[in-house]
Amino acid sequence: MAPCVTPVFTSNIQSTVKTDGKKRGSSRCPYLIKRVCYFTANTHTTPPCGTTVFFFIMVASLFPLGVGPEPGVLRAIAPGVLWVAALLSCLLSVGRVFTADYQDGVLEQMVLIPHPLIVMVLAKVFAHWLVSGLPVVLLSFLLGLQFGLEGDALAVLALSLLLGTPTLSLIGSIGAALTLGVRGSGMLVALLVLPLFIPVLIFGAGAVSSTVSGIGAEANLSLLGACLMVALPLASWATAAAVRIAVE
């Protein structure tokens, strides 16, 4: 059984609030965000990034072996395969973003400290993306090569994942918060968030496909950026509300 991290996490957050009590609340927020990211990335509250990364590599690498070495076929299926693999790897870990904190009582402390809960939620989601989404973006260059992608197509693939994976983490955090305390929540999270993942998947894969076809990816990349801008405030607010309901 993993050790409980609540006392360490709570004492660090509370000590920050006490020592900076005379300062404005907004000046303490960056440090608190840094502390939340540190403890999320270095404790059992976030699933190991190795599991997500290995799953992404395994799924993306099996398709060339099964389809065959035909370059034209591999380039045609590359956008959809790589984006589906990235989506599934995010789904594999996002359902457990808040589970350990909920069981340890860390979420209760987040609700009680005198700082906006939405800031803490954003820090948790950002830490989840750092350990699960960012490695996928970096590995996309290498995995894209085995599908025959070159130059601009690889750059657009990485850029689309850089815009899309944070959106997937934000949307997935809503499902994770809504299913806190529910037994067998993994399947329920998938059912809740998969319909919301579909636009991101379409725009991300479409950007790479358009580049391969020589059409240009500006429209799809703009739509991915718009999805991120919409998800950033709305998903954070919805997740914070769901966390508060689960704790209360």
Side-chain angles (χ1 to χ4, degrees), residues 158-182:
L159 181 57
S160 66
L161 289 172
L162 187 62
L163 292 172
T165 49
T167 308
L168 297 179
S169 294
L170 286 165
I171 296 173
S173 67
I174 301 175
L178 288 173
T179 57
L180 281 174
V182 178

Side-chain angles (χ1 to χ4, degrees), residues 193-242:
V193 303
L194 269 178
L196 301 177
F197 279 1
I198 291 176
V200 181
L201 172 64
I202 293 174
F203 299 145
V208 185
S209 298
S210 299
T211 303
V212 172
S213 302
I215 300 175
E218 292 80 5
N220 286 292
L221 291 176
S222 298
L223 290 170
L224 275 177
C227 289
L228 178 59
M229 291 298 101
V230 171
L232 192 61
L234 295 183
S236 303
W237 174 82
T239 302

Side-chain angles (χ1 to χ4, degrees), residues 102-142:
Y102 176 75
Q103 295 171 349
D104 291 343
V106 173
L107 286 183
E108 293 183 10
Q109 298 299 323
M110 287 186 177
V111 173
L112 292 175
I113 62 175
H115 287 278
L117 180 59
I118 191 172
V119 176
M120 299 299 177
V121 167
L122 278 174
K124 291 286 295 180
V125 175
F126 179 67
H128 170 266
W129 179 79
L130 281 180
V131 299
S132 62
L134 185 58
V136 168
V137 176
L138 298 178
L139 284 170
S140 64
F141 290 99
L142 180 61

Side-chain angles (χ1 to χ4, degrees), residues 69-77:
E70 180 62 34
V73 175
L74 291 177
R75 279 194 296 270
I77 68 172

Side-chain angles (χ1 to χ4, degrees), residues 47-57 89 92-93 96:
C49 65
T51 303
T52 302
V53 172
F54 177 74
F55 181 83
F56 176 67
I57 295 174
S89 64
L92 182 67
S93 61
R96 294 174 287 171

